[in-house]
Amino acid sequence: MGSGQWLMEKRSSLRSDSFSKEFENVPETGCLSIIVLGASGDLAKKKTFPALFNLYRQGFLQSHEVHIFGYARTKISDDELRSRISGYLCKDASPGHSEDVSKFLQLIKYVSGSYDTEEGFQLLDKEISEHELAKNSAEGSSRRLFYFALPPSVYPVVCKMIKKCCMNKSDLGGWTRIVVEKPFGKDLESSERLSAQIGELFEEPQIYRIDHYLGKELVQNMLVLRFANRLFLPLWNRDNIANVQIVFREDFGTEGRGGYFDEYGIIRDIIQNHLLQVLCLVAMEKPVSLKPEHIRDEKVKVLQSVLPIKDEEVVLGQYQGYRDDPTVPDHSNTPTFATVVLHIHNERWEGVPFILKAGKALNSRKAEIRVQFKDVPGDIFKCKKQGRNEFVIRLQPSEAIYMKLTVKQPGLEMSTAQSELDLSYRQRYQGVTIPEAYERLILDTIRGDQQHFVRRDELKAAWEIFTPLLHRIDNGEMKPIPYEPGSRGPAEGDELLAKAGYVQTHGYIWIPPTL
């Protein structure tokens, strides 16, 4: 076997299994060009460029092989773009940080052009090609990653321009990949139309639909917790679990994003994508392996097993003052709060309600998974009122995993209390920086690992679940209930939780341990 063939086979092995360590240092053939489309926008400044900088600081992006191109309509110079993003990178006072920022910024070149004409993309291709030539990359051996920090409305035309003007000219081991941000449409029809338009130009292995929740550290821990610990295997089913809550709460409103948010609402913005992705990881069966397609196959099976949503298992809310935003219509029917109960029709989860809850302008900020177990039969301690066992995965803030247990109170009396077995990340992993979700996902894209990205059939199955409900809301058939900012949301939301079988723990509050 020739050395070139050997290298290609090892690289293929690495791409198909990101957990394979044997060949993780096999080099790629050509240089890497990362193109941030929409480079002058908020998403690029606040998320994309900082994630790229952190990857650079940690050595995952090497200055001798990578170059970063910003592309947008705004007519600014290279230095003006660098100046715009530098403030989002200078948040660390550690030695050498400012020097790293300066070196990173020199890797960035800006190209101005429109999104719907060839001229700008031809200029972009010329700049990329010159970089590849300077790095002595053979034509067709380089890697081109296009990150769409853009509104979905321009995805189809930008994809056409990339396909026509900016692809690798031949195949010598290089690749061209695109990363597209949510929202992926507004319902099943628009999502499928968008998928078809992109799918005509790029094959599925080239398309990375990013949902940043899948890059969060505690979300990534779900598969390990479930399938690497004997403790959970016999408990993770309808015989032991009473209900599952997946919660997203914010203690602020739309804050200047009212016009954008009003187009989508809390269900499209949070529940249909972020929380539903988490549900898949909680509910899926063990995959054959850790290969991306095996994992995504199991997630699709979960989505296809979800029963149609019943109106009586939905509570919508809108915080008072939401319509005061001048960018929000006076008679907006858009929910800023929703509690939705889903049921999975399969052997493992029949009869177990999955409660998805998200809201803005509530009394706290957090995102968590809460698995509540059934009552202990024959309760000789008469401690049911204190609450059930719960396994809680706190995604943000103060990342933690803890189990709520009933224990004996210290002392001479036989009295019980709720306590916890607690793994708080800040305390347990002192000095360890938890990577931002975007860092992990961009690195996965470079490595060719699609495990934490949404596949087309997965996206379709998710929209099939929520589109009927969303259309009823859009048509005014379901109305949000007003609620006070800073509250728990509509009282009807807590009533629905109780109907679904969730038992509130009284007198217990989890407090993150101090260092």
Side-chain angles (χ1 to χ4, degrees):
M1 181 186 297
S3 61
Q5 184 181 353
W6 180 89
L7 182 64
M8 291 296 289
E9 288 186 6
K10 297 316 176 200
R11 189 172 299 124
S12 175
S13 170
L14 174 63
R15 288 171 180 157
S16 66
D17 184 355
S18 65
F19 286 80
S20 170
K21 299 296 182 184
E22 186 176 357
F23 301 107
E24 67 179 358
N25 293 318
V26 174
E28 294 281 0
T29 51
C31 64
L32 172 63
S33 297
I34 299 175
I35 303 95
V36 180
L37 302 159
S40 59
D42 274 359
L43 175 63
K45 289 186 295 186
K46 295 177 181 177
K47 296 294 183 182
T48 315
F49 283 115
L52 292 172
F53 172 65
N54 287 333
L55 290 174
Y56 168 78
R57 278 205 92 190
Q58 297 169 67
F60 291 107
L61 298 179
Q62 298 287 332
S63 57
H64 66 269
E65 68 170 3
V66 69
H67 207 69
I68 299 168
F69 298 86
Y71 184 90
R73 289 184 291 236
T74 310
K75 294 187 182 302
I76 55 176
S77 67
D78 294 352
D79 286 338
E80 284 176 307
L81 177 64
R82 293 164 184 161
S83 176
R84 287 187 180 197
I85 65 177
S86 63
Y88 296 95
L89 311 180
C90 301
K91 297 181 179 179
D92 186 345
S94 62
H97 181 82
S98 59
E99 184 181 348
D100 287 340
V101 170
S102 298
K103 290 180 179 177
F104 173 76
L105 291 174
Q106 293 309 307
L107 299 176
I108 299 173
K109 182 169 185 60
Y110 183 71
V111 179
S112 174
S114 67
Y115 296 122
D116 56 358
T117 61
E118 294 181 23
E119 184 180 1
F121 283 91
Q122 287 170 346
L123 178 59
L124 176 62
D125 180 66
K126 179 175 176 288
E127 296 287 355
I128 297 171
S129 298
E130 286 179 359
H131 159 64
E132 293 169 350
L133 188 62
K135 297 296 183 183
N136 297 317
S137 285
E139 187 178 62
S141 69
S142 61
R143 297 163 287 156
R144 297 185 176 190
L145 173 60
F146 291 85
Y147 193 107
F148 287 43
L150 296 167
S153 57
V154 299
Y155 286 178
V157 68
V158 171
C159 285
K160 285 180 183 177
M161 294 298 109
I162 293 172
K163 185 70 174 180
K164 191 164 188 178
C165 304
C166 298
M167 300 289 286
N168 269 318
K169 304 302 183 291
S170 59
D171 184 9
L172 291 177
W175 45 253
T176 303
R177 294 173 184 153
I178 63 170
V179 180
V180 291
E181 279 271 359
K182 79 169 188 77
F184 312 114
K186 296 184 70 172
D187 58 11
L188 177 61
E189 181 183 356
S190 60
S191 173
E192 280 291 279
R193 184 167 59 247
L194 183 60
S195 291
Q197 290 169 330
I198 297 175
E200 288 175 0
L201 301 164
F202 295 95
E203 296 180 5
E204 187 65 25
Q206 295 176 293
I207 304 169
Y208 288 72
R209 300 175 189 85
I210 195 169
D211 184 330
H212 76 271
Y213 253 58
L214 291 178
K216 288 185 176 294
E217 182 68 31
L218 272 296
V219 174
Q220 299 233 323
N221 212 336
M222 274 304 306
L223 293 186
V224 180
L225 287 169
R226 285 199 53 199
F227 301 125
N229 293 289
R230 186 70 178 85
L231 170 68
F232 292 117
L233 293 178
L235 299 178
W236 214 259
N237 54 48
R238 61 190 177 91
D239 296 330
N240 300 287
I241 293 175
N243 55 74
V244 177
Q245 268 196 82
I246 304 172
V247 180
F248 173 92
R249 305 166 66 90
E250 287 182 333
D251 55 3
F252 53 88
T254 53
E255 295 193 344
R257 294 176 66 246
Y260 166 83
F261 180 85
D262 200 71
E263 285 188 53
Y264 295 95
I266 199 72
I267 295 177
R268 288 184 177 96
D269 195 41
I270 300 296
I271 294 179
Q272 184 272 340
N273 44 71
H274 298 332
L275 301 194
L276 198 60
Q277 285 293 318
V278 174
L279 178 146
C280 289
L281 297 175
V282 173
M284 64 186 272
E285 297 299 319
K286 182 188 288 188
V288 175
S289 76
L290 290 174
K291 291 181 178 178
E293 293 314 304
H294 291 157
I295 292 172
R296 298 201 293 182
D297 286 345
E298 296 303 332
K299 289 167 66 182
V300 171
K301 290 177 188 176
V302 171
L303 295 173
Q304 291 174 338
S305 300
V306 174
L307 296 173
I309 299 170
K310 298 177 182 177
D311 287 359
E312 61 268 24
E313 293 191 312
V314 177
V315 170
L316 305 176
Q318 186 185 90
Y319 68 83
Q320 293 173 345
Y322 169 71
R323 298 180 195 172
D324 294 343
D325 185 325
T327 62
V328 173
D330 292 340
H331 303 289
S332 171
N333 196 53
T334 300
T336 62
F337 171 97
T339 298
V340 182
V341 181
L342 299 184
H343 298 275
I344 299 172
H345 182 55
N346 64 18
E347 184 178 4
R348 181 181 295 273
W349 297 115
E350 188 75 40
V352 178
F354 282 75
I355 304 158
L356 307 186
K357 179 178 177 181
K360 290 182 172 292
L362 299 176
N363 61 347
S364 63
R365 173 182 171 263
K366 67 179 177 180
E368 66 183 14
I369 306 163
R370 189 172 290 269
V371 180
Q372 187 171 86
F373 291 88
K374 293 183 176 181
D375 290 325
V376 175
D379 178 22
I380 60 174
F381 296 102
K382 297 182 173 56
C383 55
K384 283 185 181 179
K385 290 183 180 179
Q386 290 175 346
R388 292 169 163 173
N389 294 151
E390 288 184 359
F391 181 55
V392 182
I393 302 171
R394 191 178 178 97
L395 308 179
Q396 67 181 35
S398 303
E399 293 91 344
I401 301 167
Y402 62 95
M403 174 73 84
K404 287 169 59 176
L405 301 172
T406 300
V407 299
K408 178 187 174 297
Q409 284 268 43
L412 296 175
E413 300 295 328
M414 179 54 76
S415 57
T416 59
Q418 282 262 309
S419 188
E420 69 281 319
L421 298 176
D422 195 324
L423 168 59
S424 288
Y425 273 51
R426 193 175 301 170
Q427 185 184 51
R428 178 65 179 85
Y429 301 111
Q430 296 180 35
V432 176
T433 301
I434 296 176
E436 289 289 332
Y438 281 95
E439 294 172 39
R440 189 189 311 274
L441 295 176
I442 290 173
L443 186 59
D444 282 348
T445 308
I446 295 168
R447 289 173 167 173
D449 182 357
Q450 290 189 306
Q451 175 183 329
H452 303 115
F453 295 83
V454 182
R455 200 168 65 187
R456 180 174 176 176
D457 57 342
E458 189 180 343
L459 182 62
K460 180 182 178 183
W463 277 119
E464 285 174 341
I465 294 168
F466 280 98
T467 291
L469 170 63
L470 290 167
H471 283 178
R472 290 197 292 278
I473 297 170
D474 293 342
N475 295 334
E477 297 170 28
M478 299 182 71
K479 301 287 186 182
I481 302 163
Y483 64 93
E484 285 284 340
S487 68
R488 284 178 53 83
E492 289 84 347
D494 286 335
E495 292 169 9
L496 178 58
L497 288 184
K499 287 178 186 175
Y502 178 72
V503 177
Q504 182 77 31
T505 299
H506 297 284
Y508 169 88
I509 298 175
W510 177 73
I511 301 174
T514 55
L515 298 178

